[in-house]
Amino acid sequence: SGRPSPKRYQALPHGNGVGRACRQCGGAISREALPTRVYCTKECKKGARVRKRIEATVAAQGMDATPEGKATTPPSANRAAKSAPAKSGQGPHVETAPQPLPPGLVQATMAYVDRRLPPGVAPRDGWAPVGPWLLHDLLGRFQGDRRFMSVGEEYPQGSSTAGQHWVPGYIGVRTVPNDDGRNVPWNQEYRGQYDVHLWDKSKALTVEAGRFPTAFEAAQWYDQLSIAYSGSRRANTNFTIPDSPQQTSPARYSDTGTDEGNDGKYGGFVLVVLQLLRKEVQLNWESVEPVDDAEWDHWRESLKALAVRPRSPDLMPALMQELRERMQWFVTQLRPCVLFPRWHGQPLEKLVKDTQECYAVGQKSDHYYPTQSECTTCLLNLKGTDVGSRNRHGQWTAEALIRVIDHELISLAAVQDVAKGGPGLPAAQAEQDELAKEAASNLQRILAAVAKEEEQERKRQARGDLGPPPKRQRAGPSGRTAKIGGRGGWSKTQATSPLVPYQPRPEKPEPAIPVGLEVIVVGAGVSGLKAASMLERAGAKVTVVEARDRIGGRVYTTTLDGGPDIGIRPVDMGATFVCGTGTEPPVNPLYEYICRLKLRTRVKHRDGPTGNQWYNAEYKALDPADVKAAEEAYEGLLEDLLEEAERARPETTVQQMVDRLQQMHSARLSEEDTGLVAAYLSDLYIAPMRDLSLRGMVGTGYCGDHELVVGGYSQVIQALSQKKLSKSDPARPLKDVRLNTRVTAIALPPKGGVRVTACDPDGTLRNLEAHAVLVTVPLGVLKKGTPTFDPPLPPLKAQAITELGMGTENRVAMLFPTAFWPSAPHFLRPVAGRYTFANLHALGIDRVLSAWVRPAYVPEVEEWTDEQTLADVKSVLRQMFGQAYVDPVDYKVTRWTKEAFSAGSYSYVSPTARKSDYDMMGLPVSGNAQLDRSIACGGSRLHHLVRLYFAGEATHAEDSYTVHGAYLSGRREARRIMSWWREFSDKLRSAPEESRKQRRSVER
């Protein structure tokens, strides 16, 4: 967006203005990090931790500081050694200093310091050896790292031989196993060849990567692969990377742009090539068709060159074409006698054809078989009812195809049989039968487990349990899960509560605070009511000012009246679902509160037969079997979006990435399926995808389903306004809630306190004064410039308000005399048109259907009257259901953009904004420009002048656009205000009274 990042402020005043030096490297620490930071970067902090551990090891074992007893190099010399490779016969300049550690120890993952050359080896082709590493082997990057030893150094006599097959002085170089597959320990008498093993971070194991006559050549090849896999700035190498690009130098990767995000986007390409090379090593001449040795040599050398070739988005199509040709040639050279019989004939021909159409590297989760029940890999690795369900089947990516070639195509028993002169085919058939038997056993076990779960679900529903259904927990270690978007609430993994009823933890009241605190809360939404109830319970005097004639803000439960025959139905027109209802810690605090209130919930389904009923462009119902491919493509697309978001630039929009990914998959989907995916995505977001930052719209959320609150979300609002902690807790309503009172201005007098100007229902302007004010108005209202602030808000906060977007989700809720639409699916989705229909009838709100206006049509529909909007919705329903359609008996329409006190539904990150803008929105303000700038750049927020606070969903970065985000922000600010009062109450008690006296003096 062009505005400066907070981290760029280097000249902030702090104390006497003197900065601080980093304890690790001696460099200056940026002033916004003061006063608490003692290291300039995370790398220095990590290096200091490693240094302390090594000092302790050296002291405990009585080791010398260096192997030769020489003086060590200070950190400045280490940094100098990074910038230039060592020359032959001359190491870098070393200054004598009484440092306890050898060079290279602080930067424990980089190999940039000088090392003596192996005997008889001179630098060549721009490569320069480095070392030694006096680092304990357990602290290395992986077990194959032996750079803490010198080249040629013997392993200690009498020590365990475990791990001694790794060659001292190198990383990723080992001896060749013997014929029995056992490791051969290295010693100076070893005369065999050397294998290269590359560390695969995604699988946490080593990958065989080639065989060489000398350890030096193997180390060179390892470095080339490491740079190609991780990028030159992240590679963990044996030798330095030359500054000048040469033909054999890996430094050229930094010129192609493959360094950034190389691990996930291009690193997989290297691993696929290595898997193909490794498979060729497992074969013998009897396993392949008779061809000239030169052809195999050419195939092998071309693959090695392909593995380390520079890569970029522009070069990848040509590289993929070459990889396809190498894979196809390899498959066609295999003799039928070493293939599993199920691949003979047409299946093998199809595999060769699909190999030619391989369109991308793909992901580790890509599988070639169309479904999980046909996938041998999945069936042989099932360990529970959910294992393999996250895999993407029916893919033609390089990852999927190499999995077939490596694990499912060739029978190793047949390869061994033909090597002994046998026919091979009987051995292949026997191995296939054994694997099929194991897969069938796993499948039967998994089907039995699924049937058991379904039976438990039927029993649960039969006894009237409307709470969350049992589902498996698949959250990460943090208990939170990756999520993308807001409207649909899709998450990468979901989990819900176990079979036993969830027992929420009791909420403990906040400890009392010193008497006298006065706080004004602007806005009676979820965040404002949560903060007001906590503050008032703690002993503060709270005044809640709300511009509407009701409390709740964007939580708005209305009623549809069907008369005496049908009755009244409560319907949420704003916030509707609790997002994330898993019961494994950490549990969504809002869901815990709902459970303590003993409110009932219903799970919303977005997938499968109970999730959606699709309609084509002519509004005719589609068979669920016909949309299965589209739903799988949609799930895969969301997975891709989550992965791409981690390395996308902030200004990359969701639409740009979706177009790029769909272009890659275009050959796989029909035109109709492409339209279904586009409709899915349109319903996922709060705004058109061209207006959304991909990186900004991805975050973490609480695990679990999304559930509707039976009876309406307003029950939560009422409980908050009554300060109830649970259902049994007595109601104690907030003492001072002023409705129809609009705040027009907020002033922060120089001497402390706050002055809030509010317009009463009769139009009279009144000044309200307090120690602090909490602003919880929606982002859309702040974007309109109301209320005004004196002094103006800090520039970075004002910039965040401008750059963040506000989306709108309008609805037309209708109550019908009869439910003429399908009763099971939770959503009725036309591929085209202005609306998606939420089947609230399936969620327990009898005979109610709600039309959700798609984001692209919100501006148009908001200009219509209620009658025009209803007429348009009715015309769509008539086309969908024909003569079965009947008119509704009551309806309600929302226009959240035109609603003066909301100006939208909830926030989103625009391409010009950043996710950190949400954090900027939540920062408190003092009214002192110098202090506010320090706060914006990470300084202390605890100061007696800090008295303007902000809460709401747009102030909570990880849980923005959710009700629980607003709930958590209200709790956060209430605790912040209470801490502020406990610290400065003695100084602040007289501020409102002094302000009143000053105002009366001015008036006189």
Side-chain angles (χ1 to χ4, degrees), residues 1 260 265 313 484 640-661 685 688-698 908-915:
S1 62
E260 201 62 34
K265 192 169 185 180
I484 183 168
D640 292 342
L641 285 175
L642 282 173
E643 293 192 5
E644 294 292 341
E646 297 176 359
R647 47 184 170 265
R649 298 181 63 85
E651 61 270 15
T652 301
T653 66
V654 176
Q655 186 67 64
Q656 290 171 338
M657 187 57 66
V658 167
D659 291 343
R660 187 183 309 171
L661 293 173
Y685 294 103
M689 291 186 291
R690 64 177 179 274
D691 298 334
L692 303 171
S693 166
L694 173 62
R695 190 168 182 173
M697 293 304 291
V698 173
Y908 64 85
V909 181
S910 69
T912 59
R914 301 293 183 268
K915 193 70 175 282

Side-chain angles (χ1 to χ4, degrees), residues 681-830:
L681 290 168
S682 175
D683 294 342
L684 176 64
Y685 294 103
I686 187 65
M689 291 186 291
R690 64 177 179 274
D691 298 334
L692 303 171
S693 166
L694 173 62
R695 190 168 182 173
M697 293 304 291
V698 173
T700 58
Y702 288 100
C703 289
D705 290 305
H706 291 197
E707 303 190 24
L708 177 140
V709 180
V710 178
Y713 238 130
S714 61
Q715 300 169 98
V716 178
I717 297 297
Q718 292 299 324
L720 287 173
S721 68
Q722 296 170 359
K723 298 185 292 188
K724 298 185 69 171
L725 299 179
S726 64
K727 182 178 180 179
S728 60
D729 200 25
R732 296 181 293 270
L734 291 169
K735 297 176 182 178
D736 189 2
V737 179
R738 306 183 186 186
L739 302 179
N740 295 307
T741 304
R742 179 170 54 89
V743 172
T744 60
I746 297 175
L748 305 179
K751 292 187 177 181
V754 297
R755 184 169 62 251
V756 176
T757 303
C759 181
D760 287 347
D762 58 3
T764 304
L765 290 178
R766 298 183 182 276
N767 286 330
L768 306 176
E769 294 171 347
H771 296 102
V773 59
L774 173 60
V775 178
T776 68
V777 299
L779 172 65
V781 177
L782 293 175
K783 292 173 79 70
K784 295 194 301 182
T786 54
T788 60
F789 295 90
D790 181 24
L793 294 176
L796 289 177
K797 184 180 283 286
Q799 184 74 20
I801 293 173
T802 302
E803 299 294 351
L804 288 172
M806 191 69 174
T808 299
E809 184 178 286
N810 285 330
R811 299 175 182 175
V812 183
M814 300 162 286
L815 174 61
F816 293 88
T818 182
F820 53 82
W821 58 89
S823 59
H826 288 190
F827 289 92
L828 312 177
R829 301 184 186 275

Side-chain angles (χ1 to χ4, degrees), residues 163 300 376 397 422 449 573 608 666 845-846 914:
R300 193 179 304 108
T376 305
T397 61
M573 303 299 287
S666 59
I845 308 178
D846 189 34
R914 301 293 183 268

Side-chain angles (χ1 to χ4, degrees), residues 199-327:
W199 181 251
D200 181 357
K201 291 187 284 288
S202 62
K203 294 182 179 179
L205 48 81
T206 57
V207 177
E208 297 176 19
R211 185 166 293 177
F212 294 86
T214 67
F216 183 78
E217 292 176 288
Q220 284 186 312
W221 175 243
Y222 174 89
D223 285 2
Q224 294 185 60
L225 291 176
S226 180
I227 295 165
Y229 179 57
S230 302
S232 59
R233 283 177 293 181
R234 299 191 180 112
N236 197 7
T237 60
N238 289 283
F239 307 118
T240 56
I241 300 174
D243 290 336
S244 58
Q246 302 179 18
Q247 182 64 25
T248 59
S249 168
R252 61 188 181 207
Y253 282 92
S254 59
D255 298 330
T256 64
T258 59
D259 268 5
E260 201 62 34
N262 196 39
D263 297 343
K265 192 169 185 180
Y266 299 115
F269 184 87
V270 179
L271 298 179
V272 169
V273 175
L274 293 180
Q275 281 182 274
L276 193 55
L277 284 168
R278 181 182 62 186
K279 200 63 185 176
E280 183 260 344
V281 174
Q282 296 176 353
L283 302 179
N284 47 48
W285 287 113
E286 292 79 9
S287 305
V288 297
E289 299 291 347
V291 295
D292 189 11
D293 292 358
E295 291 191 44
W296 279 104
D297 293 339
H298 171 72
W299 178 86
R300 193 179 304 108
E301 294 303 320
S302 62
L303 272 181
K304 289 182 178 180
L306 187 63
V308 297
R309 194 173 300 172
R311 296 178 299 281
S312 69
D314 295 333
L315 299 176
M316 282 306 294
L319 298 180
M320 285 301 304
Q321 174 62 29
E322 188 170 347
L323 178 61
R324 288 195 295 267
E325 293 173 358
R326 301 293 175 263
M327 293 174 70

Side-chain angles (χ1 to χ4, degrees), residues 489-549:
W490 183 86
S491 61
K492 190 173 182 179
T493 61
Q494 291 192 343
T496 55
S497 49
L499 289 175
V500 296
Y502 174 59
Q503 298 295 331
R505 299 170 299 173
E507 182 175 357
K508 297 180 180 179
E510 296 293 328
I513 59 176
V515 297
L517 174 61
E518 298 178 16
V519 181
I520 298 171
V521 177
V522 182
V526 171
S527 60
L529 293 175
K530 175 61 177 175
S533 62
M534 289 179 63
L535 289 167
E536 200 165 280
R537 281 199 304 267
K541 178 184 177 182
V542 181
T543 300
V544 180
V545 183
E546 171 57 53
R548 295 182 179 87
D549 58 357

